Amino acid sequence: SDKLVPRLAGQHYEYLVRQIYDAVDGRRPNLSRKHIRLLAQLERDDILDVADFLSRSAWTDPAPPPNNSR
């Protein structure tokens, strides 16, 4: 798929919390409705825990696309 995937792991805790609340409040129009519905089900403590986990996680580069230039 050519869709862009946001880098969440390793982001600042406060940034992640704000982005989750912005998504639920409709200030992230590029986020799918499915993801917004999932985030809206989270309680405050769940959001804080997810942000904490992601902020402490290491980010790794995704695998490069296959080389189709044969």
Side-chain angles (χ1 to χ4, degrees):
S1 170
D2 290 336
K3 293 183 179 183
L4 297 176
V5 177
R7 186 184 86 149
L8 299 176
Q11 292 286 357
H12 293 279
Y13 172 80
E14 293 85 6
Y15 170 81
L16 292 164
V17 171
R18 185 175 60 250
Q19 294 305 310
I20 293 170
Y21 279 113
D22 283 354
V24 172
D25 292 339
R27 291 187 295 270
R28 295 293 312 258
N30 55 334
L31 196 62
S32 76
R33 286 271 172 232
K34 179 180 178 181
H35 288 110
I36 292 170
R37 282 193 302 272
L38 289 171
L39 292 171
Q41 295 176 24
L42 298 176
E43 299 289 333
R44 179 181 180 276
D45 287 343
D46 297 327
I47 290 171
L48 299 180
D49 289 345
V50 168
D52 182 60
F53 172 79
L54 289 170
S55 70
R56 295 172 188 266
S57 299
W59 179 72
T60 58
D61 284 322
N67 185 353
N68 294 328
S69 60
R70 294 182 199 196

